[in-house]
Amino acid sequence: MILKVSQESASDSMGRDRVGSLPMKKTALITGIAGQDGCYLSKLLLQSGYQVYGTTHSTDRSRLWRLEEEGHLNDIDILHLDLRDRDKIADSIKELCPTELYNLGAQSLVGKSSTHPFYTSEVNAMGALALLEAVRKYSPETRYYQASSSEIYGNTQESPQSEKTCFQPRNPYGVSKQYAHWMTKTYRTHFGLHTSCGILFNHESPYRGEDFVTGKITQGLARVSLGMLEKIEVGNVQARRDWGFSGDYVRAMHMMLQQPQGDEYVVSTGRLHTVQDLINAAAQALEMSLEWQGEELETVALYKGREVVSVNSQFFRKNETSQLVGDSSKAREVLGWEPQVSFEQLITMMVQADLRRLQSA
Ligand code: NDP
Ligand code: GDR
């Protein structure tokens, strides 16, 4: 275990040094630091003067490529931790006693949760419980953030969704996140810990992988534009989501833990776009003018008369969630949070990063 707590991080709940009276460096532990949000959050915390520890459950160092590309990998202490390993979680919390703990680690693919329900639940639900219990036992001053998801609203008919909307998850991922959400709230109301849940709607960035529809489309169309790929195949182009920028959303996570009390907050843009809008935005950023033809499974998009996008039923989701669009009034009013990057800016940013990587590969 790469665990070393420097003298600097030995602060009390007031953020003061145990021996002197100078304010000391805050420490943060981020699970799932190798993922998209972990990359942006760790950068934000380092810029704010935190000492940052991050966990990965993989021994493959190439998994840390996002931190490497963003240029701050060497400023982070990396720990190897699987969220299914309760003993190691307890030892890590006991040893680090972080000022703030952000639980971002998860099996985060909605589709995969249908084929791997046990794994998804062990990591997302039991992993969160193991962290909360370790905080309660060994570091009750730690402020805890739980990465909740709009997927907990699943099949709701209420729109937009707010903190008051009832949860109706439709897949094992949504259920695992609902469990972690309620446990996080329970550790605040029942045990008195400072815990918060960010109910985050879809958020993307140049660090989004191709398993998600935004990454698949921007990377795929960038390859098409460079003549490296003939066409991309997607699922339901009429599916709609509330897409924001990860860099904006990690600011909200940090803001939550700076509040005097923990709470639950929806974080979203409040704007819906279809997958077709997404394809059009990516094509526009690549200066490709698309012509759409056909309907449903016959839908195709042509560029200069050539088919570059088609629909494949293989990528349709069995139990598609309702149109998830968030009402983030509470986060805006209480935290003073506002998203700064628009949908079009986000997609352009992703396409430009994809082109840069492909051209320099
Ligand atoms: P990612 O999938 O990019 O990152 C999650 C990280 O969790 C992975 O990089 C992985 O890193 C780690 N992980 C996976 N399995 C385990 C395990 N068994 N033990 C420990 N760590 C594990 O997700 P995002 O950064 O996009 O999202 C962050 C969190 O926010 C996740 O919990 C996600 O479910 C949630 N969320 C995301 C939204 C989004 O739109 N991005 C919206 C709402 C919620 P490694 O393999 O290195 O361990
Ligand atoms: P989601 O993201 O499931 O909402 O989960 P994803 O990008 O996978 O899907 C978004 C929408 O696009 C539709 N879709 C496709 N999706 C994929 N992956 N591939 C395709 O080819 C395709 N075609 C259409 C999907 O059906 C869906 O409607 C993300 C994850 O980050 C979760 O961890 C997080 O909790 C939620 O967002 C909020």
Side-chain angles (χ1 to χ4, degrees):
M1 198 163 27
I2 316 167
L3 282 182
K4 53 180 171 67
V5 187
S6 72
Q7 196 60 32
E8 281 189 328
S9 64
S11 58
D12 66 13
S13 60
M14 304 297 287
R16 287 173 190 283
D17 169 2
R18 284 179 191 142
V19 285
S21 59
L22 287 175
M24 297 303 294
K25 217 172 192 179
K26 284 183 172 180
T27 55
L29 174 61
I30 303 173
T31 69
I33 200 161
Q36 169 189 256
D37 291 2
C39 179
Y40 285 105
L41 179 64
S42 53
K43 189 166 185 189
L44 173 78
L45 296 179
L46 285 167
Q47 284 167 346
S48 309
Y50 283 68
Q51 181 168 357
V52 177
Y53 296 86
T55 76
T56 167
H57 85 302
S58 169
T59 48
D60 178 1
R61 208 180 147 79
S62 70
R63 298 264 311 157
L64 301 170
W65 69 271
R66 295 178 175 89
L67 303 168
E68 188 116 53
E69 189 174 310
E70 203 58 29
H72 60 287
L73 174 58
N74 291 339
D75 301 324
I76 299 169
D77 284 298
I78 300 291
L79 328 176
H80 290 284
L81 181 74
D82 191 311
L83 281 167
R84 293 169 297 172
D85 187 343
R86 274 183 230 165
D87 292 340
K88 199 159 175 182
I89 286 176
D91 289 346
S92 306
I93 300 297
K94 204 192 262 184
E95 200 166 340
L96 283 177
C97 290
T99 321
E100 295 168 13
L101 167 51
Y102 296 86
N103 182 26
L104 308 186
Q107 190 303 93
S108 71
L109 296 167
V110 171
K112 185 176 167 184
S113 78
S114 301
T115 50
H116 295 75
F118 284 105
Y119 178 73
T120 302
S121 302
E122 282 160 14
V123 177
N124 300 4
M126 292 304 134
L129 176 57
L131 286 166
L132 287 161
E133 186 56 6
V135 168
R136 183 185 74 78
K137 275 191 177 157
Y138 305 116
S139 187
E141 297 298 329
T142 294
R143 295 183 173 198
Y144 178 90
Y145 172 84
Q146 173 60 33
S148 291
S149 161
S150 50
E151 281 290 318
I152 61 181
Y153 296 123
N155 202 25
T156 186
Q157 296 308 305
E158 191 176 314
S159 182
Q161 297 90 39
S162 75
E163 297 78 9
K164 294 187 180 124
T165 305
C166 288
F167 302 151
Q168 292 189 48
R170 299 199 84 177
N171 50 59
Y173 171 85
V175 174
S176 71
K177 284 289 183 180
Q178 180 176 348
Y179 178 92
H181 182 93
W182 277 116
M183 268 305 173
T184 302
K185 188 170 177 175
T186 300
Y187 270 69
R188 183 175 72 246
T189 54
H190 190 64
F191 295 116
L193 299 186
H194 190 299
T195 65
S196 290
C197 297
I199 309 172
L200 270 53
F201 284 61
N202 297 54
H203 49 279
E204 321 292 315
S205 75
Y207 291 122
R208 196 62 144 156
E210 281 190 275
D211 287 329
F212 301 94
V213 75
T214 51
K216 179 176 180 176
I217 288 168
T218 64
Q219 289 167 48
L221 282 184
R223 282 196 196 97
V224 169
S225 79
L226 294 175
M228 298 163 81
L229 184 71
E230 221 167 273
K231 68 168 186 174
I232 58 168
E233 291 186 329
V234 294
N236 183 2
V237 290
Q238 296 313 321
R240 305 213 289 171
R241 284 289 186 275
D242 177 340
W243 278 293
F245 171 50
S246 169
D248 281 339
Y249 286 35
V250 301
R251 273 191 294 111
M253 298 176 187
H254 180 244
M255 285 170 159
M256 286 176 214
L257 296 202
Q258 310 319 304
Q259 299 304 304
Q261 310 285 336
D263 207 338
E264 286 79 46
Y265 300 90
V266 162
V267 179
S268 63
T269 70
R271 299 218 166 90
L272 274 173
H273 289 93
T274 61
V275 170
Q276 191 169 10
D277 295 335
L278 175 50
I279 294 170
N280 284 332
Q284 197 175 342
L286 289 160
E287 295 176 1
M288 294 166 70
S289 170
L290 298 185
E291 185 197 331
W292 289 90
Q293 291 181 357
E295 283 177 13
E296 299 180 351
L297 285 174
E298 304 304 319
T299 307
V300 291
L302 309 180
Y303 172 58
K304 293 185 174 168
R306 201 164 49 81
E307 194 174 299
V308 289
V309 181
S310 68
V311 167
N312 185 333
S313 59
Q314 181 197 329
F315 301 111
F316 270 65
R317 213 160 274 178
K318 235 195 224 158
N319 273 320
E320 185 62 88
T321 44
S322 306
Q323 294 185 359
L324 297 176
V325 55
D327 172 359
S328 55
S329 313
K330 181 174 167 185
R332 291 170 197 246
E333 282 157 24
V334 179
L335 305 177
W337 176 82
E338 284 282 341
Q340 287 167 357
V341 174
S342 71
F343 175 75
E344 289 74 19
Q345 286 169 330
L346 167 67
I347 303 306
T348 302
M349 193 195 292
M350 292 178 71
V351 163
Q352 284 171 351
D354 294 333
L355 281 177
R356 197 181 57 242
R357 287 180 191 131
L358 288 167
Q359 283 164 336
S360 65

